[in-house]
């Protein structure tokens, strides 16, 4: 419970993860594996993908249009004559970039707001809670569409716009969780003690409150990463996301593929869709695994067998005659 | 007793009173968001065909360049009196849109939610009951993967399988064209209307069209429900009263059904409310995929046409609906859930 | 155990419903036609209509003074008995006697005057009152005569009268239209071949044969359903499965290609008058003098491979266009073909640039918009970029914005080169030349050629077809030489129809009127 130092919360998290056993451990590690796979795809897209994301020809000969999977194009080609496999790989770069920017932005906005609002209380708290609840009540995809729409007219469409739209939707979540935890923590004995000792508000928040509250954040961050990818794909599907000339994006590819379904062309939609399912599942597994491990209500700890030292003859300080008496 | 009664009343009044500023903030947000976007319906319709000067003249005549505060005032007044206006691009009243398209979305949402509960609750309970067994892992994995699949991808697969490949089910629309014309619609809920008027062929037509969209959206939501029911099951199974029941020698099965099950379901009411917003959002994508004539599909269309009266009106109703539902949930919880303090 | 039994029962129920449902959905009897479309109408009041889907129904429910007959391209009388210019600025129409609206009210000149007066008065943002700027006044001296007084001579006026926006509405009787605002679409009443039986926005429009129609060639079918779809793939599946009889506007090239092989479906195509073109903003385009700028434009016109675009991007559903006036309209020619040849000539383009002293590769910033001009716009411009870059003479950067921003920016001097499309207001060559080449053109690209303006004024004022023919030949020639706009393709009207449907081919002509009354089944 009590712990000081900024990162003690995270250190505790690390220890809990390390101690995890059984099903939660496997869930966590398989999630991490899947996400790591996509991160590698994202970082090394240029090396792994056979072609560029909008490449329509190679060595002078143009790619066939809507060709089924074959040796030259493992996942087939699209109506724009681009290679599906390459677009799926480049798409992971887009997805990871957007997730990183969105989660980073949401954290930098949501967590401090939650901390300050929860600790300081009063009118500021009430006002922020009202605004955040209003944002929370909005169906998230509607909000994301409207924000993406707006931003696209001022700063153009692209990674940042999509990430910003997602951030606006998720800041209330971080705010709410952090604030609630802060409210329960600020009445704890050690915080009162620190106050009595004359520590300033900033120090208390930083040293005592933040370190405790922060252990909730990774779970929400992973679950929000999962939702961020779904929101990005939804925006792309509706046409408010990233344009095909800027980067590959899985949701947009599916929106073009819907037209192909009627013609029996299945490869243009199946592979981007599977990529979304896999990556979102990966993040969710991490979140679920973390939750299993951290949530005191449902976790189990590894049971450490108590170490009972073996019986061994003692060298007693007492003289021989008294030793006889003691042993009886 | 009377003291408890009056504090319940105070709680309810406070809760309803708090809803008002929430709604006000939402409305203001909607208004600002739409006004900040460039362009107006006339630009959308006549741009590229008529000179900019002509467009400016018409825009002025339609009142799009009135001062912002004046437009804001009109908007708030309209929201309060329920006269949200007439759309700019196709001259429909917002009320008409809500009744006709809103009923389509609501019908889809209710059917989807019913499927979500029917699938999610049994799986969630089984997963919680037999923790960390293949049943639990399978159930959780199912819930996770089904939520990870975007509704338009599942819809795309469903259309591929049932529409193109097998041809069993219709993949678009709410009902066939002739049924649409001939069915009398007192309630605008086609399932009810066709039953009430005894029109059996219409009823089957409606059900066939409803299956794929409701299944697609419902399975998605069931993923969330599985997770929530499972966690609640785990918490209640650990509870003291369950231990006490076991200690008294009651059979495990009865323990599960009588004690754990019922208490695990109490939060489902809250879940229903929380998922309402998700359902409305998911409806937008489902309607696009299945050509369902609901309010989400109309919203996307009006947004593209910059018909801000329409978008404002629809989003206003969405927002108010979400707030009303959450207040109702809180009120129901206040009566039902003993943990809520007031 | 109980659960499994429950599933079996549910499964059997669904199967039973499927069997029962087979009879109800799908096409109706021989006299009912079902058309599917992705275009949604704006208004069924002529004063509020200026878009194709609204026009479709207005042409069916109302009558105009003049109309374009099927397969023709010149106006002939419809509600009128005869119409003609009495002098340069006066156009007189004599009405048929005995015409009635579908509610029994008689149709006479006061209804016509009322229709035009209210169109101008309401000046609906979604209507076509801008086409009447040349109309000074309308008068109805006696119940059978209407006189239009124009401000300036205008040979296109008869064509303007054929537009659905100027259909005749009832001025009195139980269904009199309001003089100062639009009639609700659900209450449309006219004197045409059909009555509006039902309109559910976003879902369907239902037309029924009007028994009181007194004109020539009444409808050949009894009922028409117009079903709205929000995606072309849903429309394509519907026509493939027989849920609609006709799928028209808009199917993508992929849909059409797939339907070509499908059983039970035929593809019907006819000449269309929808065009796409590339516009240069003369102030922003590359080139340090007028001569250099013209050289750049001419070089682009020389390099674009229209046939490749038509085949590769549009699967043959469009034809290459060699003049701003599409084929099928009177006075249309192929000036760009005469000037630049039918296929790309990179060597000639290179020479043109060299002679003007333009350094290659020329940087071109080309803008396009994702959905307003069809979902293949992106593919089309990717192909154009490919062609221009491959010649070695140009270096193209493609940019896109969504329609609202695009339509403001393009005409306020923000885009150096951009994509545009055009739909006819009326099927006359004037609509395809004056709109682009006049000094006051909405394009606002800085194109100012006094010879062109003089020719345009001349053709507009003259009703003598030989004078107009000469003028238009000159206009198109100058247009090809100056090339402020480069025509790319002309769309065909393409529909997918089920076997047994006839009449669709007959109605495909430059007027863009979809004549439901010609269509039969079986």
């Amino acid at each position: 419970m009590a712990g000081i130092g900024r990162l003690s919360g995270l250190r505790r998290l690390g220890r809990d993860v390390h101690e995890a056993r059984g099903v939660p451990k496997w869930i966590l590690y398989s999630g991490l594996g899947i996400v790591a796979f996509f991160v590698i795809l994202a970082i090394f897209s240029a090396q792994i993908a056979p072609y560029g994301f909008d490449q329509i020809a190679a060595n002078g000969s143009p790619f066939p249009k809507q060709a089924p999977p074959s040796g030259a194009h493992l996942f087939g080609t699209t109506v724009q004559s681009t290679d599906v496999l390459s677009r799926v790989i480049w798409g992971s770069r887009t997805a990871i970039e957007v997730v990183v920017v969105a989660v980073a932005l949401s954290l930098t906005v949501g967590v401090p707001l939650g901390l300050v609002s929860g600790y300081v209380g009063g009118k500021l708290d009430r006002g922020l809670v009202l605004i955040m609840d209003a944002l929370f009540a909005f169906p998230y995809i509607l909000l994301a569409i409207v924000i993406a729409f707006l931003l696209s007219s001022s700063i153009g469409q692209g990674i940042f716009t999509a990430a910003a739209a997602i951030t606006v939707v998720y800041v209330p979540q971080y705010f709410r969780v952090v604030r609630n935890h802060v409210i329960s923590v600020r009445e704890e004995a050690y915080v009162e003690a620190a106050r009595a000792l004359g520590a300033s508000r900033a120090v208390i928040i930083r040293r005592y409150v933040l370190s405790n509250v922060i252990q909730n954040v990774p779970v929400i961050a992973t679950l929000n990463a999962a939702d961020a990818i779904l929101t990005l794909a939804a925006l792309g599907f509706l046409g408010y996301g990233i344009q095909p000339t800027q980067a590959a994006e899985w949701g947009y590819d599916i929106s073009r593929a819907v037209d192909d379904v009627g013609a029996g062309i299945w490869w243009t939609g199946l592979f981007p869709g599977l990529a979304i399912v896999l990556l979102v599942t990966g993040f969710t597994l991490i979140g679920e695994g973390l939750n299993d491990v951290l949530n005191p209500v449902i976790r189990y700890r590894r049971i450490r067998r108590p170490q009972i030292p073996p019986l061994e003859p003692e060298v007693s300080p007492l003289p021989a005659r008294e030793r006889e008496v003691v042993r009886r | 007793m009377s003291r408890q009664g009056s504090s319940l009343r105070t709680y309810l009044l406070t809760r309803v009173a708090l809803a008002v500023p929430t709604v006000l903030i939402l409305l203001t947000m909607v208004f600002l968001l739409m006004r900040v976007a460039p362009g107006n319906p006339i630009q959308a319709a006549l741009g590229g065909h008529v000179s900019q000067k002509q467009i400016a003249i018409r825009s002025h005549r339609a009142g799009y360049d009135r001062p912002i505060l004046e437009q804001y005032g009109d908007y708030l007044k309209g929201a309060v009196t329920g006269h949200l206006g007439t759309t700019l691009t196709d001259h429909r009243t917002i009320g008409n849109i809500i009744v006709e398209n809103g009923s389509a979305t609501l019908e889809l949402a209710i059917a989807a939610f019913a499927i979500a509960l029917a699938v999610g609750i049994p799986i969630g309970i089984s997963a919680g009951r037999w923790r960390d067994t293949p049943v639990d892992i399978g159930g959780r994995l199912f819930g996770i993967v089904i939520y990870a699949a975007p509704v338009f991808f599942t819809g795309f697969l469903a259309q591929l399988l049932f529409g193109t490949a097998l041809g069993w089910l219709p993949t678009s629309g709410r009902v066939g064209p002739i049924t649409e014309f001939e069915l009398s619609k007192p309630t605008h809920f086609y399932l009810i209307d066709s039953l009430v008027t005894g029109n059996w062929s219409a009823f089957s037509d409606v059900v066939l069209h409803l299956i794929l969209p409701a299944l697609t959206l419902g399975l998605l939501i069931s993923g969330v429900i599985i997770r929530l029911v499972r966690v609640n099951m785990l918490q209640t199974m650990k509870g003291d009263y369950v231990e006490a029941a076991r200690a008294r020698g009651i059979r495990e099965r009865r323990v599960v059904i009588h004690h754990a099950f019922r208490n695990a379901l109490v939060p489902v009411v809250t879940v229903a409310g929380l998922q309402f917003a998700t359902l409305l959002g998911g409806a937008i994508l489902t309607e696009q995929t299945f050509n369902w004539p609901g309010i989400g599909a109309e919203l996307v269309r009006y947004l593209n046409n910059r018909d801000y009266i329409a978008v404002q009106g629809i989003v206003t109703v969405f927002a108010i609906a979400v707030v009303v539902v959450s207040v109702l949930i809180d009120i129901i919880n206040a009566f039902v859930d003993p943990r809520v303090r007031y | 155990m109980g659960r499994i039994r429950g599933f079996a029962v549910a499964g059997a129920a669904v199967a039973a419903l499927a069997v029962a449902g087979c009879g109800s959905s799908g096409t109706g009897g021989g006299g009912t036609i079902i058309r599917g479309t992705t275009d949604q109408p704006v208004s069924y009041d002529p004063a509020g209509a200026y878009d194709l889907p609204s026009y479709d129904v207005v042409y069916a429910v109302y009558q105009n003074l003049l109309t374009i007959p099927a397969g023709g391209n010149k106006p002939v009388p419809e509600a009128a008995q005869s119409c003609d210019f009495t002098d340069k600025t006066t156009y007189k129409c004599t009405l048929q006697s005995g015409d009635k609206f579908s509610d029994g009210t008689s149709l006479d000149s006061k209804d016509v005057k009322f229709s035009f007066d209210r169109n101008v008065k309401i000046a609906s943002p979604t209507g076509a009152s801008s086409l009447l700027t040349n109309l000074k006044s309308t008068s109805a001296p006696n119940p059978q005569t209407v006189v239009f007084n124009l401000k300036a001579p205008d040979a296109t006026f008869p064509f303007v009268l054929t537009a659905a926006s100027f259909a005749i509405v009832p001025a009195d009787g139980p269904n009199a239209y309001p003089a100062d605002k639009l009639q609700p679409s659900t209450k449309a009443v006219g004197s045409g071949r059909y009555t509006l039986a039902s309109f559910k926005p976003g879902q369907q429009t239902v037309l029924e044969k009007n028994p009181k129609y007194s004109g020539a060639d009444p409808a050949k079918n009894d009922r028409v359903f117009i079903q709205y779809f929000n995606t072309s793939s849903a429309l394509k599946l519907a026509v493939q499965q027989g849920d609609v009889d006709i799928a028209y506007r808009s199917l993508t090239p992929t849909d059409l290609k797939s339907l070509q092989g499908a059983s039970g479906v035929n593809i019907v195509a006819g000449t269309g008058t929808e065009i796409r073109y590339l516009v240069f903003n003369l102030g922003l385009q590359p080139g340090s003098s007028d001569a250099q700028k013209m050289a750049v434009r001419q070089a682009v016109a020389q390099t674009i491979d229209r046939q490749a675009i038509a085949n590769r991007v549009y699967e043959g559903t469009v034809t290459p266009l060699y003049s701003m006036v599409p084929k099928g309209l009177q006075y249309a020619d192929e000036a760009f073909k005469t000037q630049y040849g039918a296929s790309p000539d990179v060597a000639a383009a290179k020479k043109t640039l060299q002679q003007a002293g333009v350094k290659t590769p020329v940087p071109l910033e080309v803008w396009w918009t994702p959905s307003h001009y069809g979902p293949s716009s992106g593919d089309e411009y990717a192909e154009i970029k490919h062609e221009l870059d491959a010649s070695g003479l140009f270096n193209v950067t493609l940019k896109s914005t969504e329609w609202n921003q695009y339509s403001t920016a393009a005409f306020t001097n923000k885009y150096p080169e951009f994509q545009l499309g055009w739909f006819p207001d009326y099927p006359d060559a004037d609509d395809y030349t004056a709109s682009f080449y006049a000094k006051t053109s909405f394009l606002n690209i800085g194109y100012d050629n006094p010879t062109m303006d003089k020719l345009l004024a001349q053709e507009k004022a003259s009703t003598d077809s030989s004078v107009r023919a000469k003028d238009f030949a000159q206009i198109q020639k100058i247009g090809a030489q100056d090339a402020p706009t480069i025509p790319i393709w002309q769309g065909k009207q393409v529909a997918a129809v089920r076997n047994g449907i006839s009449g669709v081919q007959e109605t495909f002509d430059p007027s863009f009127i979809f004549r439901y009354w010609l269509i039969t089944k079986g």
Side-chain angles (χ1 to χ4, degrees), chain C residues 277-483:
Chain C
Y277 53 106
L278 180 65
V279 182
F280 285 82
N281 184 313
L282 270 54
L284 298 174
Q285 65 152 114
S288 44
S289 68
D290 284 344
Q292 279 198 350
K293 293 187 183 195
M294 190 153 86
V296 169
R297 300 196 298 271
Q298 289 177 337
V300 173
Q302 197 97 60
T303 316
I304 282 192
D305 189 349
R306 295 174 177 81
Q307 200 62 55
I309 295 172
N311 293 343
R312 217 179 286 157
V313 178
Y314 290 98
E315 308 281 345
T317 54
V318 307
T319 50
L321 183 62
Y322 295 101
S323 161
M324 290 308 283
V325 183
K327 268 215 184 110
L329 289 184
Q330 211 181 8
Y331 314 122
D333 67 24
E334 296 193 304
F336 274 77
K337 199 192 258 186
T338 320
Q339 180 86 13
Y340 302 108
S343 16
D345 189 347
V346 176
K350 192 162 176 184
K351 204 164 82 165
T352 312
L353 288 173
Q354 262 174 352
Q355 280 178 338
V358 179
K359 252 198 326 221
T360 59
V362 182
L364 290 176
E365 186 182 282
V366 179
W367 290 77
W368 57 277
T369 184
S371 51
H372 190 82
Y373 291 124
S376 306
S377 301
D379 309 337
E380 178 181 339
Y381 276 77
E383 173 70 30
I384 290 177
K385 170 180 155 80
H386 179 68
E387 289 165 7
L388 292 177
D389 284 350
S391 70
L393 301 171
F394 304 98
N395 191 351
V396 175
T397 322
L398 286 180
K399 291 207 174 144
S400 71
T401 35
E402 53 85 37
W403 175 245
N404 254 272
Q405 195 185 346
Y406 187 89
S407 68
T408 327
F411 310 116
T412 49
N413 294 308
K414 303 239 177 28
Y415 297 161
E417 293 92 32
F418 53 97
Q419 168 199 31
L420 221 49
W422 186 257
F423 243 103
D425 296 319
Y426 44 88
D428 180 78
D430 174 75
D431 194 42
Y432 285 87
T433 47
S435 312
F436 314 125
Y437 294 137
K439 185 164 151 195
T440 53
S441 158
F442 75 94
L443 288 176
N444 196 29
I445 48 175
Y447 179 66
D448 185 3
N449 187 329
T451 321
M452 187 68 102
D453 284 320
K454 200 175 76 174
L455 286 167
L456 287 169
Q458 216 172 301
E459 60 81 8
K460 202 163 171 118
S462 161
T463 46
D464 181 346
S465 61
S466 59
V467 170
R468 293 190 93 210
K470 218 164 50 159
D471 288 336
F472 277 119
Q474 252 319 80
I475 288 171
Q476 290 174 83
K477 182 155 162 221
I478 300 178
Q481 281 168 345
D482 290 348

Side-chain angles (χ1 to χ4, degrees), chain B residues 193-324:
Chain B
D193 289 334
S194 51
L195 280 178
V196 158
T197 55
N199 190 341
W200 298 114
S201 64
F203 182 71
S204 69
D205 198 21
V206 171
V207 169
L208 286 176
H209 278 91
L210 188 55
I211 290 179
L212 279 185
L215 207 58
T216 311
L217 187 56
L219 284 178
L220 182 89
I221 306 286
S222 76
V224 180
I225 295 196
I226 289 176
R227 236 185 282 172
L228 282 161
V229 170
R230 178 183 173 275
V231 169
N232 277 313
M233 260 310 266
L234 292 176
Q235 281 178 281
T236 42
M237 293 281 281
K238 264 188 170 185
D240 290 340
Y241 59 94
V242 172
E243 276 300 311
R246 280 202 196 102
R248 284 213 300 281
I250 299 179
R251 268 206 310 264
E252 187 65 15
R253 192 173 197 209
R254 212 176 137 76
V255 167
V256 169
I257 293 177
H258 262 243
H259 297 100
F261 179 71
R262 251 188 303 177
N263 285 292
L265 281 190
V266 164
V268 172
V269 170
T270 321
V271 164
L274 289 176
Q275 290 314 309
F276 188 65
T278 314
L279 263 177
L280 286 184
I284 294 179
L285 295 169
T286 316
E287 287 169 13
Q288 275 289 96
T289 313
F290 288 100
N291 204 50
W292 191 264
I295 212 164
E298 289 296 285
L299 181 66
V300 170
R301 195 167 65 85
Y302 286 125
L303 202 56
N304 285 332
N305 290 334
R306 277 300 192 299
D307 189 335
Y308 59 71
I309 301 267
V311 173
Q312 235 169 235
I314 294 175
V315 175
T316 306
V317 172
F318 255 73
I320 295 180
V322 172
V323 171
V324 163

Side-chain angles (χ1 to χ4, degrees), chain B residues 21-288:
Chain B
T22 314
V23 171
L24 197 60
I25 293 177
L26 275 174
L27 295 186
T28 311
M29 262 171 23
V30 170
F31 176 82
L32 285 175
L33 289 178
M34 280 318 290
R35 286 301 180 284
V36 173
N40 60 52
I42 296 180
Q43 182 72 45
L46 296 177
H49 209 94
V50 157
S51 71
Q52 288 302 105
K53 197 173 74 159
Q54 267 291 319
I55 293 178
I57 294 175
R58 286 155 180 254
S59 305
H60 176 74
R61 224 184 286 140
Y64 298 163
D65 48 4
R66 278 182 307 150
I68 283 268
L69 277 178
E70 198 184 306
Q71 297 191 43
Y72 181 58
D74 280 349
Y75 167 60
L76 282 183
K77 214 176 1 164
V80 165
T81 57
H83 290 124
L84 288 162
T86 311
T87 71
L88 301 163
T89 48
D90 58 4
H91 313 289
R92 291 173 72 188
T93 59
I94 302 290
N96 175 266
I97 298 176
I98 301 297
V99 167
E100 298 208 2
N101 300 97
S103 58
T105 302
L106 208 54
E107 196 168 28
L108 174 63
I110 293 176
F113 199 65
I115 292 179
L117 289 178
V119 170
I121 291 183
I123 297 184
I125 290 188
S126 318
R129 166 78 182 79
W130 293 293
R131 180 183 181 159
D132 290 344
T133 59
V135 172
D136 179 26
I137 298 176
R140 285 176 83 184
L141 215 53
F142 171 75
I144 291 175
V145 171
I146 201 83
Y147 187 75
V151 71
F152 49 88
F153 180 56
T154 334
F156 158 86
L157 292 176
Q159 284 176 328
L160 194 57
L161 184 60
F162 293 105
T164 315
L166 295 170
W168 287 349
L169 291 170
T171 54
S172 74
R174 196 176 175 192
V175 84
I178 306 214
T179 319
E180 173 73 56
F181 180 56
E182 292 177 350
L183 177 67
S184 55
K185 307 177 188 85
T187 67
H188 289 281
F189 287 97
Y190 291 7
L191 279 174
I192 301 177
D193 289 334
S194 51
L195 280 178
V196 158
T197 55
N199 190 341
W200 298 114
S201 64
F203 182 71
S204 69
D205 198 21
V206 171
V207 169
L208 286 176
H209 278 91
L210 188 55
I211 290 179
L212 279 185
L215 207 58
T216 311
L217 187 56
L219 284 178
L220 182 89
I221 306 286
S222 76
V224 180
I225 295 196
I226 289 176
R227 236 185 282 172
L228 282 161
V229 170
R230 178 183 173 275
V231 169
N232 277 313
M233 260 310 266
L234 292 176
Q235 281 178 281
T236 42
M237 293 281 281
K238 264 188 170 185
D240 290 340
Y241 59 94
V242 172
E243 276 300 311
R246 280 202 196 102
R248 284 213 300 281
I250 299 179
R251 268 206 310 264
E252 187 65 15
R253 192 173 197 209
R254 212 176 137 76
V255 167
V256 169
I257 293 177
H258 262 243
H259 297 100
F261 179 71
R262 251 188 303 177
N263 285 292
L265 281 190
V266 164
V268 172
V269 170
T270 321
V271 164
L274 289 176
Q275 290 314 309
F276 188 65
T278 314
L279 263 177
L280 286 184
I284 294 179
L285 295 169
T286 316
E287 287 169 13
Q288 275 289 96

